Amino acid sequence: MGEATPPRAAARGLAVEEGDSPALPRRRFLSDRGKRFRRVRDAKVAPLGFFDRYPAILTGFFFFMWYFLNVIFNIMNKKIYNYFPYPYFVSVVHLGVGVVYCLISWAVGLPKRAPIDSNLLKLLIPVAVCHALGHVTSNVSFAAVAVSFTHTIKALEPFFNASASQFILGQSIPLSLWLSLAPVVLGVSMASLTELSFNWTGFISAMISNISFTYRSIYSKKAMTDMDSTNLYAYISIIALLVCIPPALIVEGPQLIKYGFNDAIAKVGLVKFVSDLFWVGLFYHLYNQLATNTLERVAPLTHAVGNVLKRVFVIGFSILVFGNKISTQTGIGTAIAIAGVAIYSYIKAKIEEEKRQGKAA
């Protein structure tokens, strides 16, 4: 009797009649199957890259670059204001360089541009307007007072966030959070009373910046989207740039045309002037983007603590670089404020983590 047709061979259309040797089609099938098995057996799992095996090193690199770029930005920004005191125009440059960077990134597909519709655009406009206002007023403060003092005032931002959450959004803020904000308010008050570079323009501008960024946070919660952070920040930067241009032209345009540009070029030269503006804008965009990318890699608590330490680094390096003299009371007040922000950030992150775990359960 002839050998029965192997089911798999028949299924593949390899008919085997009586007397025919089914050996060839069976060998062909077994050979093909063997090749597949050998490929599976020989296929080695791609070796893990260095950063895949040691993710903490990559995360540390993100933190380092975030701090480094932030410190460089603040120092270079203040140096520009020392010979070119036009914060509205410089704010436009910051955003403009960032927008050009985003457009080039989109052009080469790194990242691929995410589409945006009218509904998302309407949600992003309030976020971008608050971002623009907060950015401009921060720069007005940087131009008016010492960098260290502006950052001390901006340490009050958690207080404004908590107040907005409680009284505008109607969210209940735990007593522990309110208590943690007491040293922040006390420290900023102490630092302000004896700050040698104090003036009301710098102080009020920094406070307006705090309020603007608080409302940016509120509107950001309403504009929750699945779009990746890189594309989202790009769209916000574009809208913010369009918002910043008109006031810059109105407030500083006539002065810039008459003598602003000429004075800056006379002091440092055209090449240095243009290159300083380019690099400060690039550093501004990159440190903000790295801050977002770092947040995506770590838990909120780690990011919150990192943000506090970043402010310490900026204040410390700005004092060293510019030689700003600070009174003992200002130094103590700044330390108290930063410590209060650290406590607040820790408690808030712990509360949010508990909420997430509760929802997951």
Side-chain angles (χ1 to χ4, degrees), residues 228-343:
D228 65 280
S229 60
T230 301
N231 274 291
L232 195 62
Y233 184 66
Y235 282 120
I236 290 174
S237 296
I238 292 171
I239 301 170
L241 174 62
L242 297 176
V243 173
C244 287
I245 290 175
L249 294 175
I250 295 171
V251 175
E252 296 176 345
Q255 301 173 47
L256 289 170
I257 294 173
K258 287 181 181 179
Y259 49 81
F261 292 128
N262 291 332
D263 287 352
I265 294 171
K267 290 176 181 177
V268 299
L270 177 61
V271 174
K272 179 172 173 53
F273 177 51
V274 174
S275 64
D276 280 354
L277 291 176
F278 168 77
W279 285 113
V280 79
L282 185 62
F283 287 142
Y284 169 77
H285 179 83
L286 291 179
Y287 100 71
N288 275 287
Q289 188 59 64
L290 272 169
T292 304
N293 294 341
T294 304
L295 176 59
E296 292 177 339
R297 295 187 61 84
V298 299
L301 176 57
T302 304
H303 192 268
V305 174
N307 202 32
V308 174
L309 293 177
K310 177 215 70 177
R311 201 175 294 280
V312 173
F313 270 81
V314 171
I315 291 175
F317 275 99
S318 66
I319 292 174
L320 290 175
V321 171
F322 296 108
N324 300 128
K325 294 182 179 179
I326 60 172
S327 67
T328 302
Q329 181 174 322
T330 297
I332 295 173
T334 300
I336 292 174
I338 295 299
V341 173
I343 295 171

Side-chain angles (χ1 to χ4, degrees), residues 52-126:
D52 293 323
R53 286 180 289 169
Y54 305 102
I57 294 179
L58 182 59
T59 301
F61 174 75
F62 271 86
F63 269 102
F64 170 78
M65 290 304 298
W66 175 26
Y67 285 17
F68 174 76
L69 292 173
N70 194 282
V71 169
I72 295 299
F73 161 76
N74 278 276
I75 291 173
M76 181 174 284
N77 205 43
K78 184 61 177 179
K79 286 184 175 180
I80 290 173
Y81 288 136
N82 287 340
Y83 70 81
F84 185 69
Y86 297 94
Y88 285 82
F89 177 79
V90 173
S91 297
V92 169
V93 171
H94 291 164
L95 293 168
V97 172
V99 167
V100 172
Y101 178 92
C102 293
L103 293 177
I104 294 175
S105 299
W106 279 341
V108 299
L110 294 171
K112 184 178 179 181
R113 187 182 71 84
I116 185 171
D117 56 27
S118 59
N119 292 328
L120 180 57
L121 182 62
K122 291 177 182 177
L123 293 174
L124 289 184
I125 286 176

Side-chain angles (χ1 to χ4, degrees), residues 181-221:
L181 290 170
V184 180
V185 177
L186 174 63
V188 171
S189 300
M190 289 178 60
S192 300
L193 289 174
T194 55
E195 170 60 37
L196 299 179
S197 70
F198 180 89
N199 65 54
W200 284 107
T201 299
F203 179 81
I204 293 173
S205 297
M207 295 293 280
I208 294 174
S209 172
N210 284 334
I211 296 172
S212 300
F213 287 137
T214 294
Y215 274 94
R216 182 186 66 178
S217 298
I218 293 174
Y219 287 120
S220 294
K221 293 177 182 178

